[in-house]
Structure formats: structure tokens, C-alpha cells
Amino acid sequence: MTHEQTLWKEVKDVVNPKILSKNNRFKKWDYGYNSDYDFIVISKTGKIGQIIEIQNLRIALPTADEPFKRSEKKAEQYWEKQEYPKELSKIKSRFDWDEYPAEFKEKWYDYIDNEFTRREKGFWFCNNGIDTYITGTHYMYLQWSKIDVGAPDFRESNRLFFIFWEACKADTRCYGMCYLKNRRSGFSFMSSAELVNQATISSDARFGILSKSGADAKKMFTDKVVPISVNYPFFFKPIQDGMDRP
């Protein structure tokens, strides 16, 4: 007997195929709530593909435009954190990068640009025979966030959490998300990773931590937020005054 998950479902025939194709061709799908079809577009490419429903909320995912590597064997199709190039790992700040010769920089521009694109638009990979989309926030969590066990594992439940959270951010009608969680689900690290991700791409903004006590909030900051921030690659770190480990 196979288990059928009920966390999400695909919604078909929401948009007339001709309209879908035309709007995709001209990249007309705007990020945010679409009142014509009552779904939230989390694609930042102007194109949408699969439309799913989570907790009665319809969410339009982006299309997989760029070909991505996939093994012929299902057992070898899974999320795998990419190794950070050793030549770049030695660079700790933008100022260090400025000291390197132009030829060295030219070699790595495409790699760095590609990481910024994945951070913004998300990432596709093949998972056990299924083409799988993760948001840019989820990518930053899996690829660039250091947690207590090292690199986070990919979990389908986390993927749905980040997709729903992206819809909350995209929908201007939304004030936030109520999330009922169990212990050891990884939520503290996921929210810490998102705090660092958003704080390092936002200007004139403040990001807070709310917990049941000030001591717990401080512990989350020192034990989770700071290590994630410190371990970001240099090209994601803002220029800072003073020390980088508060």
C-alpha cells in the first residue's frame, strides 16, 4: 500500500493553454497575486509552469527553462550541495577580491553571477526522476547556510514551506504566515537563514528576532544567525564596518 501525500496538489486547466503560452512567450506573468486567475505567481522570469495548491492557496511556479544535469539512474538523482571553489574560498571580503588581477576575476564572473541568479529566481534539479523546483531562499538555505550538522539536508516538507513562504512575500495582501511546527523540524535554522538572506539584500531595513524570552532570542542570534552570516561567500557579504561577528 503506497502513501498518498495530501500536503499539496497540482491544479490543472486554470489558464487557457493558448493564453498561458502567449503570456509565457512575452514574459507577461508578473510576480505577485494575479486576481484574474486567483493564484500567486512566485516566478521572477515572467513565465509560469506548474500551478500547485497548498492549504487552499494556489501558487504558480516558474518554468524550467535552463537544462540541468540529471543522472540516468534514479538512485543518483538527488539534491547535492555544490563544492565552493577553493580559489574563491580563500577570499574573505570584497576588499580582498579587489586585490586580485583582472584575469582571475574574469574567470569567476560567470560563477558568481550564476549564484546571484539562483538566489533570485530559484533552482531546478532532478529528484528521484522528478524535476523539482526550489525557491531562491531555499537554495540559499541548502547551498550556503551552515547549521549544527553542517550543510542542511533536502526535505520535501521544507520545499513546500519555502514555496508557501515565497507566496506570502509575493502577495501584497498578506501580512505573514501562521506555521504550526513540531520540534526538531529545522524551522529555527530555516528562519535564521532567511533572516540573513533578506538582511544582506535589503537597504535601510531592520530584521528582528522574536522568541519567548530575550535570552532565547539572543541565543538564536549568536548560535544560528551569526554563523550563517559569517560563512556566506564573500560575494554575498555586504561591506561592513568593525567586526563581522557581533
Side-chain angles (χ1 to χ4, degrees):
M1 183 177 179
T2 57
H3 169 71
E4 288 191 18
Q5 66 84 23
T6 56
L7 292 173
W8 70 276
K9 65 181 180 180
E10 183 174 8
V11 184
K12 295 184 179 293
D13 303 322
V14 178
V15 185
N16 183 296
K18 290 184 179 179
I19 296 176
L20 178 64
S21 178
K22 179 182 177 182
N23 284 6
N24 276 350
R25 185 165 72 251
F26 293 106
K27 300 181 179 180
K28 284 193 170 183
W29 296 105
D30 293 328
Y31 179 79
Y33 178 66
N34 186 301
S35 58
D36 293 335
Y37 298 103
D38 191 30
F39 57 53
I40 302 162
V41 177
I42 64 169
S43 170
K44 296 181 180 178
T45 64
K47 298 193 284 186
I48 63 172
Q50 186 184 40
I51 299 169
I52 67 173
E53 186 176 290
I54 305 174
Q55 293 289 300
N56 300 316
L57 194 70
R58 291 181 173 184
I59 305 170
L61 306 183
T63 55
D65 292 328
E66 300 297 327
F68 48 92
K69 294 192 299 182
R70 50 165 61 84
S71 171
E72 295 299 321
K73 300 178 181 177
K74 275 192 176 184
E76 296 176 355
Q77 297 171 351
Y78 52 86
W79 163 262
E80 191 170 15
K81 181 179 182 292
Q82 302 300 305
E83 287 298 320
Y84 187 27
K86 288 184 178 180
E87 292 175 84
L88 293 182
S89 65
K90 299 174 183 177
I91 304 173
K92 301 304 179 185
S93 71
R94 167 69 185 275
F95 302 110
D96 293 342
W97 168 259
D98 289 342
E99 298 297 321
Y100 280 79
E103 306 81 51
F104 177 88
K105 295 177 184 176
E106 287 288 344
K107 178 181 174 182
W108 294 108
Y109 280 145
D110 286 345
Y111 172 83
I112 294 172
D113 286 344
N114 197 34
E115 288 303 309
F116 271 97
T117 298
R118 292 175 177 182
R119 181 184 193 178
E120 171 71 10
K121 299 179 179 178
F123 181 72
W124 285 89
F125 70 101
C126 192
N127 187 35
N128 196 32
I130 301 172
D131 290 350
T132 302
Y133 172 75
I134 59 175
T135 66
T137 295
H138 195 184
Y139 178 79
M140 291 297 289
Y141 173 65
L142 291 173
Q143 175 64 28
W144 294 113
S145 299
K146 180 182 179 182
I147 67 173
D148 55 351
V149 295
D153 291 328
F154 171 80
R155 298 175 181 175
E156 175 65 8
S157 58
N158 290 357
R159 185 180 84 94
L160 298 177
F161 166 84
F162 279 113
I163 286 174
F164 194 90
W165 174 233
E166 190 66 36
C168 291
K169 291 190 289 183
D171 190 351
T172 55
R173 305 171 305 165
C174 178
Y175 285 90
M177 172 173 61
C178 293
Y179 180 61
L180 183 64
K181 59 177 282 296
N182 60 302
R183 295 283 296 165
R184 303 301 298 169
S185 64
F187 177 76
S188 294
F189 278 110
M190 289 192 293
S191 54
S192 295
E194 171 65 333
L195 187 150
V196 176
N197 178 44
Q198 290 297 318
T200 52
I201 57 173
S202 303
S203 61
D204 297 325
R206 295 189 179 200
F207 291 80
I209 299 172
L210 181 66
S211 190
K212 61 185 182 292
S213 70
D216 283 336
K218 181 178 180 181
K219 182 175 175 59
M220 182 168 172
F221 178 72
T222 57
D223 293 359
K224 296 180 175 66
V225 172
V226 172
I228 290 172
S229 177
V230 168
N231 282 279
Y232 260 16
F234 78 92
F235 48 83
F236 284 151
K237 288 182 179 180
I239 296 172
Q240 293 177 263
D241 285 334
M243 63 178 179
D244 63 358
R245 186 182 288 275

